[in-house]
Amino acid sequence: MNTQKILLIEDDQFTRELYEEVIKDEGFPIDTATNGEEGLEKIRQGTYSLILLDIMMPKMDGLEVLRSLKDDPPNVKNGPIIILTNLTNDPVLNSAYGLDAKDYIVKSDVTPGELIDKIKIFLESAKIQDQSKN
């Protein structure tokens, strides 16, 4: 079993359930949150290898989550945060990068298979960066 746990923070039920199923089918443990507040709480508690963060959400949007993490970093180490969006060429993405987001995935442009390929690339890249710091 894979030990690289993924956190998916996504308010759209269809997208969340689809991504969750695809990620589970690939053997990755996954945790989900339906809004930014719930996601932020989980980030502060868990040690996730990868966090997939939607931007447009109720209660607390993805940028607010990123700002909160930058202003008050969690005591536990987490892997990279990847933005989930349907917006390209948007100033929001520049803000997200300024708040330590590592990359983004355009939900409307990615198939389930491509999502898994991207997740594997992000996880491998994070593992290599961790090894180079040691």
Side-chain angles (χ1 to χ4, degrees), residues 94-121:
N94 290 332
S95 296
Y97 288 133
L99 295 169
D100 296 333
K102 298 301 178 211
D103 208 336
Y104 70 95
I105 294 172
V106 179
K107 295 185 278 188
S108 59
D109 291 349
V110 70
T111 66
E114 291 168 339
L115 174 68
I116 293 300
D117 290 344
K118 287 180 180 285
I119 286 171
K120 288 178 178 176
I121 290 167

Side-chain angles (χ1 to χ4, degrees), residues 6 20 25 43 56 60-61 68 72 79 81 85 94 99 106 113 118 120:
I6 296 170
E20 182 178 14
D25 285 350
I43 290 169
M56 304 297 290
M60 176 184 258
D61 69 29
S68 181
D72 183 19
I81 298 175
T85 184
N94 290 332
L99 295 169
V106 179
K118 287 180 180 285
K120 288 178 178 176

Side-chain angles (χ1 to χ4, degrees), residues 3 18 24 52 55 59 68 74 82 88-89 107 116 118:
T3 59
L18 173 65
K24 276 184 181 175
L52 301 173
I55 288 290
K59 295 188 181 180
S68 181
I82 307 302
T88 57
N89 300 324
K107 295 185 278 188
I116 293 300
K118 287 180 180 285

